[in-house]
Each structure stands twice: as C-alpha cells, then as structure tokens.
Amino acid sequence: IKLTSSLAGVTFANPLLNAAGVHCATPTELDEVLASAAGGVVTKSATLAPRDGNVRPRFQALPLGSINSMGLPNQGFDAYLAYACAHQQAATAPVILSLAGLSLADDLAMLRRVQESDFTGLVELNLSCPNVPGKPQVAYDFAAVTRVLDQAFQFFTKRLGIKLPPYLDLAQFDALAAILNRYPLAYVNAINSLGNGLVIDPLTERPVIRPKGGFGGIGGAYVKPTALANVRAWRQRLNPTIGIIGTGGVRTGTDVFEHLLCGADLVQVGTALATEGPAIFARLTRELTAVMATKGYQTLADFRGKLQVR
Ligand SMILES: C=Cc1c(C(=O)O)[nH]c(=O)[nH]c1=O
C-alpha cells in the first residue's frame, strides 16, 4: 500500500500535513511536524511584520472541536521565508509557505519577495482569515479575490495555492469557480475555520474566548460535513489542473479517507493536531492504511475523487 501523493508537481510521501496556524508558528514547532510522520508542513500564515495577535484566551478546545480568534500571531514573513528556503534543500518533506497579508498591497509585496527568492515550493495565499478585527474576509468578496489574483499573476510564476473559507450556497461555488478557473492556480485549500461562531460557558455566563466578544473560527468535528461538501464542490467545478487540499474535521484515518474520496490531493489537520500533537500523523497514516487494506486499495489514486452518486 502506497500513500504517496503529489500536488502541482511536488511529491509528498503521504497526504497528511498540519493546517496553517496549528503547530507551525516557530521553527521548533515546524521541525516537530517535519520530524513526525506528516508528509509535509505548512507555516503559520505570515504577515509582513511580526504580530502578537489577539488577547488571551484566544483558543479553546471543545468536545466536538475548537474555537479560535488568534488574530494572526506570527514571527513575520522574513522568518518563515528563511525557514522555507533552508528546508527545501534538506528535502525531508515539502514546506508550504502560508501568507496572509493585512492588505492587498501586503499580499503583493510578500508574493514579490517570494518570486525573487530561492524558494521554489508551494505558496498558500490565505484569503480567509476571519479573526483580524476590522478586516473582512477577502474570499467572501469575489471582486477582491479577482483583484488579488489578477495582480498576483502579473508577476508570480511559482506555485500558488489559495486558502478558502467554507461556502454554504451552491451559487457561490459556481460563481467563484468561474473566476478561479481563469488563473494558473496550483491548488485550492478548503476549508478554513467556519468564521465567527460563539461558544458560551453557562457557568460563568461568558464566552470561552476573549477577543471580538467571543466570536471565533470553529474547527473540528463540527465542520466536517461542510469541509467535505466544499472539497467535493470544488473538485466538481475546478479545472483538473488545479489541485485540492482538504482541511476540516479530520481526526481519524476514516476522516482522511473521506476527504480523499471527495477529491482531495492532500489532507490537513488542525483542531485534532492542536489537542493530540504531531504523534497524530503516525496514528492517521496507520488508520488510513488500514482502511485501504480493508477495501483492497493499493494507492490513493484507486479511490481519490470516486465518491459514488447515491
Ligand atoms: C490567518 C489567520 C487565521 C486565524 C487566526 O490567526 O486567528 N485563525 C483561523 O482559524 N484561520 C485563519 O486563517
């Protein structure tokens, strides 16, 4: 049984990575994911300048998932570009560089820096951060998405993927796919956390996190049906040249299998990684292999995207 997978010409020993934002903000955390059974690692989304992020408590694990309003705390673009360049020689496993500018200008400035750098790997432009106060999500404004991709592809010739939030209306998939299919995107990553949920502690009669009155992105089991629907909807609508990373609600090998069945090329783990740590990747590869063995599949291609119609 082989778990190898490729995305935009980059080969991964297995399809599993962390989700941007989880266990990836420092070189130590990034090294720990690379040292684990993960097939690759993605950096915390970088802003041009380092950020402290929102006030604490800003993350809360829950019985069925998590809520977070981190506010983009990160070491800044230079730190993650340096890490990505240093590790692409090591070729242990691919590093995906995640970017989340606070403005169109910042997105373009970081992409220009990557274009001029030695980094030749995958770049993930995060258009879906729900937690920067006063900053609307770019990905829910289709004109803004068009603007950033128009301007980016004027100069960017390396491998560019985008991180999208969940969409809940089929007309939105149709409209945005028509836009995305115009660009030489390496991939689409679906989904980011389900934005602006509210979790309350009935004992204290307060929200469980402090920023934004307790409003934060929801992850974990709560969002798996929405994540699978978004992966499936993009696979059905996007050019085959555009790969898909499935993110959302992954806790077991069966969850990984379901994302692959919906068409994902790679699968990312957020909430469950935050609670279990990088050892989860050994468990997930073991469990995915067991699912494949039970079903008689040898490779991921044997079942990727082959969800049957009822
Ligand atoms: C990049 C900021 C994000 C954050 C954050 O830093 O608050 N949390 C998420 O769930 N998704 C994000 O994209």
Side-chain angles (χ1 to χ4, degrees):
I1 285 183
K2 285 176 57 182
L3 301 184
T4 48
S5 195
S6 72
L7 182 71
V10 179
T11 302
F12 294 75
N14 73 62
L16 294 164
L17 296 90
N18 64 297
V22 181
H23 216 98
C24 59
T26 66
T28 300
E29 288 184 330
L30 290 162
D31 286 346
E32 286 169 352
V33 173
L34 284 178
S36 78
V41 67
V42 58
T43 67
K44 169 66 185 173
S45 297
T47 47
L48 258 182
R51 282 174 61 88
D52 292 334
N54 291 339
V55 295
R56 292 175 173 79
R58 58 194 189 184
F59 173 90
Q60 179 60 56
L62 303 158
L64 293 178
S66 65
I67 185 168
N68 91 84
S69 186
M70 309 303 285
L72 252 175
N74 74 96
Q75 294 187 334
F77 173 77
D78 293 344
Y80 299 113
L81 178 62
Y83 185 92
C85 290
H87 281 76
Q88 76 177 350
Q89 276 84 32
T92 49
V95 175
I96 300 181
L97 178 61
S98 176
L99 309 175
L102 297 175
S103 65
L104 170 60
D106 281 7
D107 279 340
L108 296 174
M110 289 190 285
L111 286 172
R112 280 193 193 285
R113 290 279 312 283
V114 174
Q115 181 67 23
E116 290 149 17
S117 77
D118 297 336
F119 185 63
T120 59
L122 294 159
V123 177
E124 182 166 293
L125 184 59
N126 183 347
L127 300 176
S128 46
C129 181
N131 300 322
V132 179
K135 287 281 171 197
Q137 284 205 42
V138 171
Y140 287 147
D141 174 347
F142 294 178
V145 172
T146 304
R147 249 190 324 274
V148 68
L149 294 180
D150 273 348
Q151 300 206 30
F153 284 112
Q154 300 281 330
F155 62 89
F156 197 78
T157 60
K158 297 185 175 178
R159 298 175 170 99
L160 184 64
I162 55 173
K163 179 71 171 285
L164 295 176
Y167 298 92
L168 309 177
D169 179 296
L170 299 193
Q172 290 176 311
F173 291 122
D174 295 337
L176 186 52
I179 294 168
L180 298 181
N181 278 329
R182 291 190 213 126
Y183 301 98
L185 284 166
Y187 69 90
V188 158
N189 185 340
I191 60 174
N192 205 318
S193 55
L194 179 59
N196 294 302
L198 178 61
V199 176
I200 288 169
D201 179 345
L203 293 180
T204 63
E205 301 175 18
R206 288 199 188 99
V208 298
I209 59 171
R210 191 158 159 216
K212 292 178 54 180
F215 281 52
I218 302 295
Y222 292 119
V223 306
K224 192 177 90 170
T226 299
L228 293 178
N230 276 254
V231 169
R232 174 73 165 167
W234 292 126
R235 190 62 288 160
Q236 291 175 319
R237 290 168 175 77
L238 295 176
N239 295 337
T241 55
I242 301 177
I244 292 185
I245 297 182
T247 307
V250 174
R251 198 178 50 77
T252 69
T254 300
D255 298 327
V256 179
F257 177 77
E258 291 176 13
H259 268 277
L260 294 165
L261 207 53
C262 290
D265 296 291
L266 301 178
V267 177
Q268 293 183 347
V269 187
T271 298
L273 169 61
T275 44
E276 190 168 328
I280 193 171
F281 291 113
R283 175 170 69 78
L284 290 176
T285 46
R286 193 167 55 245
E287 290 177 357
L288 173 61
T289 302
V291 169
M292 290 172 67
T294 304
K295 291 166 170 284
Y297 293 133
Q298 292 300 313
T299 68
L300 303 186
D302 289 346
F303 61 94
R304 175 181 290 117
K306 297 189 174 173
L307 176 67
Q308 298 175 42
V309 183
R310 275 203 68 92

Coordinates of all heavy atoms in Angstrom, one line a residue, residues 30 34 41 43 77-97 113-123 158:
L30 N 7.7 23.8 13.7 CA 7.8 23.3 12.3 C 8.7 22.1 12.2 O 8.3 21.1 11.6 CB 8.3 24.4 11.4 CG 7.4 25.6 11.2 CD1 8.1 26.9 10.7 CD2 6.3 25.2 10.2
L34 N 7.9 18.2 10.9 CA 8.8 17.6 9.9 C 9.3 16.3 10.5 O 9.5 15.3 9.8 CB 9.9 18.5 9.4 CG 9.5 19.6 8.5 CD1 10.7 20.5 8.1 CD2 8.9 19.0 7.2
V41 N 4.8 20.0 5.8 CA 4.4 21.0 6.8 C 4.1 22.4 6.2 O 4.6 22.7 5.1 CB 5.6 21.2 7.8 CG1 6.8 21.9 7.2 CG2 5.1 22.0 9.0
T43 N 3.5 26.6 7.1 CA 3.9 27.6 8.1 C 2.6 28.3 8.6 O 1.6 28.4 7.8 CB 4.9 28.6 7.5 OG1 4.2 29.4 6.5 CG2 6.1 28.0 7.0
F77 N 7.0 37.6 8.0 CA 7.3 37.0 6.7 C 8.8 36.5 6.6 O 9.0 35.4 6.1 CB 7.0 38.0 5.6 CG 7.4 37.6 4.2 CD1 6.7 36.6 3.5 CD2 8.6 38.1 3.6 CE1 7.1 36.2 2.2 CE2 9.0 37.6 2.4 CZ 8.3 36.7 1.7
D78 N 9.7 37.4 7.0 CA 11.1 37.0 6.8 C 11.5 35.7 7.5 O 12.2 34.8 6.9 CB 12.0 38.1 7.4 CG 11.9 39.4 6.6 OD1 11.4 39.3 5.4 OD2 12.3 40.5 7.1
A79 N 10.9 35.5 8.7 CA 11.3 34.3 9.4 C 10.8 33.0 8.7 O 11.5 32.0 8.6 CB 10.7 34.4 10.8
Y80 N 9.6 33.1 8.2 CA 9.1 31.9 7.5 C 9.7 31.6 6.1 O 9.9 30.5 5.7 CB 7.5 32.0 7.5 CG 6.9 32.1 8.8 CD1 6.2 33.2 9.2 CD2 7.0 31.0 9.7 CE1 5.7 33.3 10.5 CE2 6.5 31.1 11.0 CZ 5.8 32.3 11.4 OH 5.3 32.4 12.7
L81 N 10.0 32.7 5.4 CA 10.7 32.6 4.1 C 12.0 31.9 4.3 O 12.4 31.0 3.6 CB 10.8 33.9 3.4 CG 11.5 33.8 2.0 CD1 10.8 32.9 1.1 CD2 11.7 35.2 1.4
A82 N 12.7 32.4 5.4 CA 14.0 31.8 5.7 C 13.9 30.3 6.0 O 14.7 29.5 5.5 CB 14.7 32.6 6.9
Y83 N 12.9 30.0 6.8 CA 12.7 28.6 7.2 C 12.4 27.8 5.9 O 13.0 26.7 5.7 CB 11.6 28.4 8.2 CG 11.5 27.0 8.7 CD1 12.1 26.6 9.9 CD2 10.7 26.1 8.0 CE1 12.0 25.2 10.3 CE2 10.6 24.8 8.5 CZ 11.2 24.4 9.6 OH 11.1 23.1 10.0
A84 N 11.5 28.3 5.1 CA 11.1 27.5 3.9 C 12.3 27.3 3.0 O 12.5 26.2 2.4 CB 10.0 28.3 3.2
C85 N 13.1 28.4 2.8 CA 14.3 28.2 1.9 C 15.3 27.3 2.5 O 15.9 26.4 1.8 CB 15.0 29.6 1.7 SG 14.0 30.7 0.7
A86 N 15.6 27.4 3.8 CA 16.6 26.5 4.4 C 16.1 25.0 4.3 O 17.0 24.1 4.1 CB 16.7 26.9 5.9
H87 N 14.8 24.8 4.4 CA 14.4 23.4 4.4 C 14.1 22.8 3.1 O 14.0 21.6 2.9 CB 13.2 23.2 5.4 CG 13.6 23.2 6.8 ND1 14.0 24.3 7.5 CD2 13.8 22.2 7.6 CE1 14.4 24.0 8.7 NE2 14.3 22.7 8.8
Q88 N 14.1 23.6 2.0 CA 13.8 23.0 0.7 C 15.1 22.3 0.3 O 15.0 21.3 -0.5 CB 13.3 24.0 -0.3 CG 14.3 24.9 -0.9 CD 13.6 25.8 -1.9 OE1 12.4 25.6 -2.3 NE2 14.3 26.8 -2.4
Q89 N 16.3 22.6 0.8 CA 17.5 21.9 0.4 C 17.4 20.5 1.2 O 17.6 19.5 0.6 CB 18.7 22.6 0.9 CG 19.2 23.6 -0.1 CD 18.5 25.0 0.0 OE1 18.2 25.3 1.1 NE2 18.3 25.7 -1.1
A90 N 17.0 20.6 2.4 CA 17.0 19.4 3.3 C 16.1 18.3 2.6 O 16.4 17.1 2.7 CB 16.5 19.7 4.7
A91 N 15.1 18.7 1.9 CA 14.2 17.8 1.1 C 13.7 16.7 2.0 O 13.6 15.6 1.5 CB 14.9 17.3 -0.1
T92 N 13.6 17.0 3.3 CA 13.0 15.9 4.2 C 11.5 15.7 3.8 O 11.1 14.7 3.4 CB 13.0 16.3 5.7 OG1 12.5 17.7 5.7 CG2 14.4 16.3 6.2
A93 N 10.8 16.8 3.8 CA 9.4 16.8 3.3 C 9.1 18.2 2.9 O 9.6 19.1 3.4 CB 8.4 16.3 4.4
P94 N 8.1 18.4 2.0 CA 7.9 19.7 1.4 C 7.4 20.7 2.5 O 6.6 20.3 3.4 CB 6.9 19.5 0.3 CG 7.0 18.1 -0.1 CD 7.4 17.3 1.2
V95 N 7.8 21.9 2.4 CA 7.3 23.0 3.2 C 6.4 23.9 2.4 O 6.9 24.3 1.3 CB 8.5 23.9 3.8 CG1 7.9 25.0 4.6 CG2 9.4 23.0 4.7
I96 N 5.2 24.1 2.9 CA 4.3 25.1 2.2 C 4.4 26.4 2.9 O 4.2 26.4 4.2 CB 2.9 24.6 2.1 CG1 2.8 23.2 1.4 CG2 2.0 25.6 1.5 CD1 1.4 22.6 1.3
L97 N 4.6 27.5 2.2 CA 4.7 28.8 2.9 C 3.4 29.5 2.8 O 2.8 29.8 1.7 CB 5.8 29.6 2.1 CG 6.0 31.1 2.5 CD1 6.5 31.1 4.0 CD2 7.0 31.7 1.6
R113 N 8.4 39.2 -2.9 CA 9.6 38.7 -2.2 C 9.8 37.3 -2.5 O 11.0 36.8 -2.7 CB 9.5 39.0 -0.7 CG 9.5 40.5 -0.3 CD 10.9 41.0 -0.2 NE 11.8 40.1 0.6 CZ 11.7 40.0 1.9 NH1 10.8 40.7 2.6 NH2 12.5 39.2 2.6
V114 N 8.7 36.5 -2.5 CA 8.9 35.0 -2.8 C 9.4 34.8 -4.2 O 10.3 34.0 -4.4 CB 7.5 34.3 -2.5 CG1 7.7 32.8 -2.9 CG2 7.1 34.4 -1.1
Q115 N 8.7 35.6 -5.1 CA 9.1 35.5 -6.5 C 10.6 35.7 -6.7 O 11.3 35.0 -7.5 CB 8.3 36.5 -7.4 CG 8.6 36.4 -8.9 CD 8.2 35.1 -9.6 OE1 7.3 34.4 -9.0 NE2 8.8 34.8 -10.7
E116 N 11.2 36.6 -6.0 CA 12.6 36.9 -6.1 C 13.5 36.0 -5.3 O 14.7 36.1 -5.4 CB 12.9 38.4 -5.7 CG 12.3 39.4 -6.7 CD 11.8 40.7 -6.0 OE1 12.2 41.0 -4.9 OE2 11.1 41.5 -6.7
S117 N 12.9 35.2 -4.4 CA 13.7 34.4 -3.5 C 14.1 33.0 -4.2 O 13.7 32.7 -5.3 CB 12.9 34.1 -2.3 OG 11.9 33.0 -2.6
D118 N 14.8 32.2 -3.4 CA 15.2 30.9 -3.9 C 14.1 29.9 -3.6 O 14.3 28.7 -4.0 CB 16.5 30.4 -3.2 CG 17.7 31.4 -3.5 OD1 17.7 32.0 -4.6 OD2 18.6 31.4 -2.6
F119 N 13.1 30.3 -3.0 CA 12.0 29.3 -2.7 C 11.3 28.9 -3.9 O 10.8 29.7 -4.7 CB 11.0 29.9 -1.6 CG 10.0 28.9 -1.2 CD1 10.4 27.7 -0.5 CD2 8.7 29.0 -1.5 CE1 9.5 26.8 0.0 CE2 7.7 28.1 -1.1 CZ 8.1 27.0 -0.3
T120 N 11.2 27.6 -4.2 CA 10.5 27.1 -5.4 C 9.3 26.2 -5.0 O 8.7 25.6 -5.9 CB 11.5 26.2 -6.2 OG1 11.9 25.1 -5.4 CG2 12.7 27.0 -6.7
G121 N 9.0 26.1 -3.7 CA 7.9 25.2 -3.3 C 6.6 25.9 -3.4 O 6.4 26.8 -4.2
L122 N 5.6 25.3 -2.7 CA 4.2 25.7 -2.8 C 4.0 26.9 -1.9 O 4.5 27.0 -0.7 CB 3.3 24.6 -2.3 CG 3.3 23.4 -3.3 CD1 2.8 22.1 -2.6 CD2 2.4 23.6 -4.5
V123 N 3.3 27.9 -2.4 CA 2.9 29.1 -1.6 C 1.4 29.1 -1.4 O 0.6 28.8 -2.4 CB 3.3 30.4 -2.3 CG1 2.9 31.6 -1.5 CG2 4.8 30.4 -2.5
K158 N 5.6 31.2 -9.7 CA 5.8 30.0 -8.9 C 4.5 29.3 -8.6 O 3.5 29.7 -9.1 CB 6.7 30.4 -7.7 CG 8.0 30.9 -8.0 CD 8.9 31.2 -6.9 CE 10.3 31.6 -7.3 NZ 11.2 31.9 -6.2

